[in-house]
Amino acid sequence: MRRFFIATIAAAAALPASAHGPTPQKVDETVTIAADPQTVWAVVGDFAGISNWDPFVTKSEGSNAKRVLTFQSGKTLTEEVDEYDPTKMTYTYRMLTPDLDALPVSSYSATLVVRPANGNQSEVEWYGRFYRGDTGNEPPDNLSDAAGREAMTNFFRTGLDGLKKKLEAK
């Protein structure tokens, strides 16, 4: 009887190990721009000015501490800066309240960095970490890890391509 009791306890203890929640996902996008870092930072360093260069965002309002983004879909997200360092040409921020129709992720934090590149060029890296939209064990396809990765990749890639287009058109 004692062996049965121990085996039952061991089996019950193993059950939670088979359940799993979401794992953090990451995206990292980079672009090289034919402009010096100070020129690039003058544009991207305006945290609330993202709608001036990211075609994904139709409107952005706020300051260098907090912004509200309106996407092409009309949906909005609010983001807040955690670290802002103009001397290093970088900032890190996070989403405050999710809108799964705007982006199918439950939370994210992201960093944007401007670095010197070959010649008079700049490299801009935009990377983030996030969790899928549905943090349950069996999310629907539109709120899965893959959907979150695709949405965040598109958001960052579209933004970086828009930034390059804006700065190289001058």
Side-chain angles (χ1 to χ4, degrees):
M1 180 73 171
R2 184 169 189 249
R3 285 186 186 151
F4 175 75
F5 180 72
I6 291 172
T8 303
I9 297 282
L15 286 177
S18 65
H20 65 283
T23 56
Q25 302 296 304
K26 297 176 185 177
V27 296
D28 190 341
E29 295 293 319
T30 304
V31 69
T32 300
I33 299 174
D36 65 89
Q38 291 73 22
T39 300
V40 175
W41 180 253
V43 175
V44 298
D46 175 11
F47 183 67
I50 187 173
S51 62
N52 295 324
W53 52 270
D54 189 333
F56 206 74
V57 180
T58 58
K59 182 179 175 186
S60 55
E61 300 174 300
S63 66
N64 274 350
K66 193 175 194 178
R67 68 186 178 194
V68 177
L69 308 180
T70 303
F71 293 99
Q72 293 171 348
S73 65
K75 301 298 181 183
T76 63
L77 287 178
T78 302
E79 299 174 329
E80 185 173 63
V81 171
D82 290 325
E83 295 179 34
Y84 185 89
D85 189 341
T87 59
K88 293 182 180 176
M89 294 186 275
T90 186
Y91 52 79
T92 299
Y93 63 96
R94 61 190 153 81
M95 175 178 63
L96 293 181
T97 306
D99 180 337
L100 300 177
D101 293 325
L103 287 173
V105 297
S106 60
S107 67
Y108 65 79
S109 62
T111 300
L112 192 139
V113 183
V114 179
R115 296 182 190 95
N118 294 333
N120 195 29
Q121 296 184 345
S122 300
E123 179 183 87
V124 182
E125 182 180 19
W126 197 358
Y127 58 93
R129 181 176 175 191
F130 58 92
Y131 287 92
R132 66 182 178 230
D134 183 329
T135 57
N137 287 337
E138 296 181 28
D141 289 344
N142 65 323
L143 298 175
S144 66
D145 289 340
R149 277 191 311 275
E150 180 180 356
M152 293 299 290
T153 297
N154 288 340
F155 179 34
F156 290 0
R157 185 77 259 148
T158 299
L160 292 175
D161 292 345
L163 179 64
K164 180 178 179 75
K165 182 177 178 182
K166 178 182 179 76
L167 288 167
E168 291 184 356
K170 293 182 175 187

